[in-house]
Amino acid sequence: LGKPFIATTFIPGQESSNLEFIQRHGLGWVALDHEAQRELLSGLVRHPSRLAAMREKVASYQAWNDEQTSHISQIVCEFLPHTGHMLAR
């Protein structure tokens, strides 16, 4: 959606790496308890430039991701030439 993410919970073992991904790529914030959520939201209200900066990071990552995924159908066609006509649609 092109919006910063606020992770407020996760499924242990299954989604813990998602929290690291969000933080590593600057795609949002992790606020897992009530106090952290309150502090984050109040900080964003007081300093809207933080939200704007995060939106820019998200847009940049989204553009990079779109560019990378735009090549997938071409790669698949190279490996499976007989299916190329179906994927090109």
Side-chain angles (χ1 to χ4, degrees):
L1 298 173
K3 301 188 184 327
F5 194 87
I6 299 176
T8 58
T9 190
F10 68 102
I11 300 170
Q14 180 177 340
E15 297 179 336
S16 56
S17 60
N18 293 348
L19 304 180
E20 296 166 18
F21 185 87
I22 291 165
Q23 292 174 318
R24 181 175 57 242
H25 294 287
L27 301 176
W29 301 271
V30 175
L32 299 179
D33 62 52
H34 181 73
E35 187 56 38
Q37 294 160 11
R38 178 187 300 275
E39 185 178 317
L40 171 62
L41 294 174
S42 100
L44 292 174
V45 168
R46 284 192 316 268
H47 305 284
S49 61
R50 292 180 187 169
L51 183 57
M54 188 63 75
R55 283 185 182 136
E56 289 178 20
K57 288 181 185 179
V58 169
S60 175
Y61 185 85
Q62 187 175 27
W64 174 83
N65 190 59
D66 289 347
E67 171 64 23
Q68 300 307 307
T69 59
S70 70
H71 304 288
I72 291 173
S73 64
Q74 178 184 349
I75 294 167
V76 170
C77 288
E78 290 172 11
F79 286 108
L80 305 169
H82 61 283
T83 62
H85 67 280
M86 293 186 290
L87 294 173
R89 294 182 189 170

